[in-house]
Amino acid sequence: DRASGEITLTGHATVSDSLTRTTAEAVSFDQHTGEFRAEGQVITRYLSSGGGAVANLAPQPAYITAPHLTVASAPARAVYSGGARLWQGESVIEAGAIELDRQTQTLKATGGVHAVFPQSPGTAITPANGGKPLGIGVGSTPGPWRVRSETLTYWSKQSRALLENDVVAEARQGQIHSRQLELFLGSGAGGGQQLVRATASGVVTVRQGERRGTSERAEYLAAEQKFVLSGGKPTLYDAFRGTVTGRQLTFFFANDTIIVESEEGSRTLTRFRVEK
């Protein structure tokens, strides 16, 4: 269309450049604005995990599917909408919309976000008192962490993800519910990104079997398979052992150990259920 400067391809259209290959039912280009749109069964394959790739969650190519795609040339930003899904290696992100910014190498998912991230294997750690080793053992393969939230932002250069608004994270080790959750990833044995550490903040609840811990902040360390609760008035509720309160509470998944720390000059409060 000479008047509008728009070029439209229909019927199994394919568009590719040095980094991506996109197929859709229809594709259109606006020669005046440089905008590119794809409609209907959109599938994009990011051919390389480096050199400007946005997700960079694994050495394998990344794939994104959605009903609609809009790409702006300046800045180079792609928005997949109508229900988008991205997967690369073992990591998966699903949301109402996924936006990729090549310039800043940032990914932002919004609207009913569901994501899956593999986690780093545990490392056997022997306590200073010579007790039972902590962790699940070198070389073991723990299950992935599944997270839900309203928004997710991932910075590829920092290997860091921020989830906000009604966040729930679940794994075999337990569940975290909070207003905000930061995930810190590191390179795994196969080159893919794996969860190393997670930090939750804002009305935090941690559940692990019959236990329920509350605090203003909680940290999960994958290598040691432990939760650390701090901030506010950390409290751990246990159906069998009663209630424990302290400045900081640490409990290990591997050997069912709880460490209670109190502030200097204050007491640690522990309540135990008494059988009648």
Side-chain angles (χ1 to χ4, degrees), residues 57-86:
L57 293 165
Q60 299 91 341
Y63 294 85
I64 308 179
T65 63
H68 316 288
L69 167 62
T70 301
V71 180
S73 59
R77 185 168 58 237
V79 179
Y80 296 81
S81 59
R85 185 175 192 268
L86 177 150

Side-chain angles (χ1 to χ4, degrees), residues 4-10 13-15 22 24-31 33-39 69-71:
S4 65
E6 188 168 281
I7 300 173
T8 303
L9 298 88
T10 57
T14 301
V15 178
T22 298
E25 294 177 357
V27 169
S28 62
F29 299 89
D30 189 319
Q31 292 184 301
T33 64
E35 185 178 84
F36 158 67
R37 295 186 301 275
E39 300 288 335
L69 167 62
T70 301
V71 180

Side-chain angles (χ1 to χ4, degrees), residues 159-219:
S159 298
R160 179 172 66 94
L162 174 64
L163 296 97
E164 298 177 283
N165 300 323
D166 196 21
V167 183
V168 178
E170 297 178 289
R172 184 166 57 90
Q173 289 73 16
Q175 181 191 83
I176 301 174
H177 189 186
S178 62
R179 291 176 182 168
Q180 189 177 90
L181 179 68
E182 278 192 282
L183 305 179
F184 299 88
L185 310 180
S187 181
Q193 296 293 301
Q194 297 179 331
L195 177 66
V196 175
R197 179 167 62 93
T199 302
S201 58
V203 192
V204 180
T205 300
V206 176
R207 297 182 184 275
Q208 184 191 53
E210 297 296 325
R211 297 173 181 166
R212 177 173 60 89
T214 60
S215 63
E216 282 301 311
R217 187 176 185 275
E219 185 175 35

